[in-house]
Amino acid sequence: NAGVTQTPKFRILKIGQSMTLQCTQDMNHNYMYWYRQDPGMGLKLIYYSVGAGITDKGEVPNGYNVSRSTTEDFPLRLELAAPSQTSVYFCASSYGTHVDTQYFGPGTRLTVL
Amino acid sequence: GQQLNQSPQSMFIQEGEDVSMNCTSSSIFNTWLWYKQDPGEGPVLLIALYKAGELTSNGRLTAQFGITRKDSFLNISASIPSDVGIYFCAGPSGMNSGGSNYKLTFGKGTLLTVNP
């Protein structure tokens, strides 16, 4: 199993541009999550999904959108990039029926200039 | 919302030394998780604790679930250079309508540097 994969690994955007961060897992997990990590601030939950077709907001959803058309994929969309969205983004997945191990991808480092 | 406070924020130690770090919460947790993040990678689960007072080991790592259920401790014995990284504590963010408890709140992390 590849686990959780994320693309791209790095990206630089100009203010106002849009992009999609891709996340795929091959563990047949129902639950998937998007976090952002800012230096010294830990991980903040942006959006999560409990299954295909179901998504919900986390702690810091503003400026982002998600979709979950399949069990495997959970893309994160930035429509109008802002400097405040410069961060490292992590996708994670879990079985989800209990507080359980969340498996993290390697991250996408995004810079908005 | 729930907050987790980790201390210390950073540590610089010599190889071979033991390390202790802790995590406290303003509210009661029924699960404590400890993750490690290597530089440039995503976090990986080290230890999970499910009962107050529980003491669990994973190699040179030992974690304890505090009796008050508002704190947890992680100890690393005989540190080695590959212990370098950020250590996060995490706990459930609250219950969903179905009764499960899968969202996590993370502390800000303890950055560990080990000098060989």
Side-chain angles (χ1 to χ4, degrees):
Chain A
N1 285 352
V4 179
T5 57
Q6 292 182 239
T7 57
K9 199 154 179 67
F10 303 95
R11 184 72 186 268
I12 298 175
L13 284 181
K14 295 182 179 177
I15 294 172
Q17 285 186 320
S18 62
M19 78 163 293
T20 300
L21 282 67
Q22 302 292 344
C23 175
T24 300
Q25 53 92 10
D26 62 359
M27 297 174 281
N28 203 31
H29 287 168
N30 285 324
Y31 291 62
M32 297 187 74
Y33 314 82
W34 273 106
Y35 294 90
R36 61 175 288 171
Q37 182 180 29
D38 300 310
M41 295 302 293
L43 292 150
K44 301 288 187 184
L45 183 65
I46 305 171
Y47 269 95
Y48 65 99
S49 168
V50 302
I54 306 170
T55 63
D56 209 344
K57 296 178 180 178
E59 188 180 354
V60 290
N62 291 346
Y64 308 95
N65 273 303
V66 293
S67 60
R68 185 93 181 274
S69 57
T70 66
T71 299
E72 295 78 19
D73 301 306
F74 190 39
L76 177 72
R77 178 89 179 154
L78 284 71
E79 290 294 349
L80 289 170
S84 61
Q85 293 177 304
T86 294
S87 189
V88 182
Y89 292 85
F90 289 99
C91 179
S93 70
S94 71
Y95 290 110
T97 56
H98 183 61
V99 175
D100 204 345
T101 302
Q102 289 188 14
Y103 296 85
F104 284 81
T108 294
R109 184 174 295 273
L110 176 67
T111 302
V112 182
L113 300 175
Chain B
Q2 294 168 320
Q3 287 191 344
L4 295 179
N5 298 305
Q6 283 190 250
S7 65
Q9 281 187 309
S10 62
M11 304 180 73
F12 297 84
I13 62 171
Q14 292 296 125
E15 183 177 358
E17 288 183 0
D18 297 341
V19 172
S20 290
M21 59 189 79
N22 67 44
C23 189
T24 60
S25 169
S26 56
S27 54
I28 290 174
F29 275 58
N30 56 25
T31 301
W32 285 95
L33 305 172
W34 284 94
Y35 281 82
K36 183 196 177 195
Q37 183 180 24
D38 288 330
E41 302 291 332
V44 174
L45 182 69
L46 297 174
I47 294 177
L49 302 161
Y50 299 107
K51 281 192 335 186
E54 181 180 353
L55 188 72
T56 297
S57 293
N58 178 4
R60 293 177 296 104
L61 277 63
T62 302
Q64 183 160 24
F65 193 140
I67 291 292
T68 66
R69 295 169 63 192
K70 290 186 177 183
D71 55 11
S72 180
F73 307 88
L74 177 69
N75 297 313
I76 305 173
S77 62
S79 59
I80 59 179
S82 63
D83 290 333
V84 163
I86 304 176
Y87 292 80
F88 292 103
C89 61
S93 300
M95 305 294 285
N96 74 348
S97 58
S100 59
N101 206 1
Y102 46 82
K103 290 191 290 178
L104 297 178
T105 294
F106 284 82
K108 294 182 179 181
T110 293
L111 174 63
L112 178 63
T113 302
V114 180
N115 294 318

